[in-house]
């Protein structure tokens, strides 16, 4: 532990997010998202949190690790942490209050109120974005399940932020496969907030719901944007021609991975397996043919069979 701060376990939460914070320092939208999630995790810490202490530890560690450390480094890293600290301070103390208000609201809802949410969410959404009807063609039972899941997710975001980040990343990657336009998330959030406003006069509960759902929406949008590769777009329209054109852009060393793995954070999806599971068989056939095609350069022959079976040992059974 640096400078005797080893028992300050909240610093471990900051450290676990620090790589993403530094990597996205130039993207204020993503930086705000990371700080929002970090504030939820730090809200679970029981004890006093003194954010300037992390700056002292960070700079002391950086000075010992960087041999050519100078004044420019000092200014740059201080500027970074001051921005993060400002975002975190704006949220400190709020998550616990918002969680309590939202939990109280949900506890007060009876079955009739829940049914209002299940029905009105889609009516409000379709009124705001008629194009959304093309993506909600499931049965009424399934739509009600999605609405119930949505309600649970907004509260779970406060209760278990670590798990929810993983779950939302996995959900976002599935939405990549569904080809959901990200511009529909804004109207959907607006429609949901309007429904909650119908059911409560508690401004704190409404704000807690809006903030949580907005964060979930931003995370889903980011994951979909990061995961929407040209290979997945070709699979969504089940076009072998588009798929061949897409993988033709890949560097030789990345060609197989483009068709076998899309990674966003700790979650991954396989374009090949997604094509098989969703019935995009023209795309799946094109992927398998491409992976099994023997190619050569000046040094050696190569093909993607080993990569395919390493990623999917059970692909024959599929």
């Amino acid at each position: 532990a640096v400078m005797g701060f080893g028992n300050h376990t909240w610093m471990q939460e900051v450290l676990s997010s620090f790589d993403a914070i530094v990597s996205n320092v130039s993207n204020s939208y993503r930086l705000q998202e990371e700080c929002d999630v970090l504030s939820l995790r730090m809200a679970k810490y029981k004890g006093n949190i003194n954010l300037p202490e992390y700056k002292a530890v960070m700079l002391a560690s950086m000075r010992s690790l960087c041999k050519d450390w100078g004044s420019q480094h000092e200014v740059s890293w201080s500027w970074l942490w001051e921005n993060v600290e400002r975002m975190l301070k704006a949220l400190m103390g709020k998550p616990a209050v918002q969680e309590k208000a939202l939990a109280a609201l949900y506890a007060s809802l009876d079955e009739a109120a829940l049914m209002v949410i299940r029905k009105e969410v889609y009516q409000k959404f379709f009124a705001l974005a008629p194009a959304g009807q093309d993506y909600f063609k499931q049965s009424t039972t399934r739509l009600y399940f999605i609405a119930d899941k949505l309600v649970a997710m907004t509260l779970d975001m406060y209760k278990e932020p670590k798990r929810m980040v993983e779950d939302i990343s996995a959900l976002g990657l599935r939405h990549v496969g569904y080809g959901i336009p990200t511009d529909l998330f804004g109207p959907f959030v607006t429609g949901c907030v309007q429904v909650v406003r119908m059911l409560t006069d508690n401004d704190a509960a409404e704000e807690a719901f809006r903030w949580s759902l907005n964060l979930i929406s931003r995370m889903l949008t980011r994951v979909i944007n990061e995961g929407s590769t040209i290979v997945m777009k070709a699979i969504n329209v089940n076009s072998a021609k588009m798929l061949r054109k897409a993988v033709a852009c890949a560097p030789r060393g990345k060609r197989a991975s483009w068709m076998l793995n899309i990674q966003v954070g700790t979650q991954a999806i396989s374009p090949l397996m997604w094509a098989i599971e969703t019935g995009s068989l023209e795309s799946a056939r094109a992927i398998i043919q491409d992976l099994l095609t023997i190619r050569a350069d000046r040094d050696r022959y190569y093909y993607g069979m080993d990569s395919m079976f390493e990623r999917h040992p059970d692909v024959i059974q599929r």
Side-chain angles (χ1 to χ4, degrees):
V2 179
M3 302 168 62
F5 291 128
N7 60 338
H8 289 46
T9 54
W10 64 268
M11 290 189 179
Q12 293 297 326
E13 298 292 350
V14 180
L15 192 60
S16 65
S17 298
F18 204 61
D19 180 63
I21 288 172
V22 174
S23 301
N24 295 284
V25 65
S26 61
N27 184 343
S28 58
Y29 192 77
R30 176 69 192 280
L31 184 62
Q32 183 66 61
E33 179 193 315
E34 291 295 333
C35 289
D36 287 348
V37 174
L38 178 57
S39 70
L40 291 174
R41 298 211 311 267
M42 290 174 65
K44 301 301 176 185
Y45 177 75
K46 305 298 182 185
N48 184 46
I49 296 177
N50 185 9
L51 292 174
E53 289 179 350
Y54 187 86
K55 178 182 176 181
V57 173
M58 176 190 72
L59 292 177
S61 300
M62 296 297 291
R63 291 186 199 110
S64 64
L65 293 171
C66 185
K67 294 181 180 178
D68 59 346
W69 184 269
S71 59
Q72 287 295 329
H73 293 90
E74 194 87 14
V75 170
S76 299
W77 286 92
S78 296
W79 171 85
L80 166 65
W81 181 251
E82 285 163 6
N83 277 278
V84 173
E85 185 177 326
R86 174 176 51 80
M87 293 179 182
L88 291 175
K89 278 185 174 179
L91 295 167
M92 283 186 71
K94 291 184 179 180
V97 175
Q98 290 176 326
E99 179 184 343
K100 186 176 180 180
L102 193 58
L105 170 63
Y106 289 165
S108 68
L109 298 178
D110 56 16
E111 187 60 30
L114 291 174
M115 187 57 70
V116 169
I117 293 175
R118 293 169 188 146
K119 292 180 177 179
E120 290 292 328
V121 158
Y122 298 106
Q123 292 182 14
K124 298 284 187 185
F125 172 54
F126 295 151
L128 292 167
Q133 297 178 69
D134 296 333
Y135 300 93
F136 284 94
K137 298 178 180 178
Q138 301 92 332
S139 67
T140 302
T141 302
R142 180 64 181 174
L143 292 177
Y144 286 180
F145 170 80
I146 293 171
D148 288 343
K149 191 69 175 175
L150 170 72
V151 169
M153 286 176 70
T154 54
L155 185 56
D156 287 346
M157 196 71 214
Y158 290 104
K159 289 183 174 180
E160 301 178 83
K162 280 186 179 179
R163 177 180 66 81
M164 286 303 298
V165 167
E166 299 297 319
D167 290 353
I168 291 169
S169 295
L171 180 63
L173 283 175
R174 289 200 297 276
H175 278 70
V176 170
Y178 300 142
I180 306 295
T182 55
D183 56 3
L184 292 177
F185 283 103
F188 189 76
V189 171
T190 301
C192 293
V193 173
Q194 289 176 357
V195 173
V196 169
R197 191 176 295 135
M198 292 165 48
L199 298 174
T200 181
D201 295 326
N202 188 330
D203 292 339
E206 181 188 329
E207 173 60 21
F209 178 83
R210 185 204 61 78
W211 188 87
S212 178
L213 188 58
N214 182 262
L215 176 57
I216 292 170
S217 171
R218 284 185 283 138
M219 293 171 68
L220 283 173
T221 300
R222 172 181 58 80
V223 172
I224 291 172
N225 287 335
E226 291 179 6
S228 294
T229 65
I230 52 178
V231 171
M232 287 300 291
K233 290 176 181 177
I235 292 172
N236 287 340
V237 296
N238 195 22
S239 170
K241 182 179 179 181
M242 281 183 63
L243 193 136
R244 285 191 289 268
K245 189 180 292 186
V247 296
C249 303
R252 189 195 74 188
K254 299 286 186 181
R255 192 180 186 103
S257 66
W258 276 30
M259 294 179 281
L260 293 172
N261 191 60
I262 295 174
Q263 186 87 26
V264 178
T266 60
Q267 299 294 319
I269 189 174
S270 166
L272 170 59
M273 201 52 60
W274 183 263
I276 294 172
E277 291 174 352
T278 57
S280 300
L281 299 183
E282 289 297 318
S283 298
R285 183 181 295 110
I287 290 175
I288 293 172
Q289 288 174 345
D290 193 277
L291 288 170
L292 299 182
T293 298
I294 299 174
R295 295 179 172 84
D297 57 22
R298 288 184 234 176
D299 297 324
R300 65 188 181 95
Y301 294 98
Y302 60 94
Y303 70 144
M305 186 190 72
D306 291 340
S307 298
M308 182 175 70
F309 281 104
E310 182 180 343
R311 180 76 169 91
H312 300 294
D314 61 342
V315 68
I316 301 299
Q317 283 73 37
R318 295 295 182 110

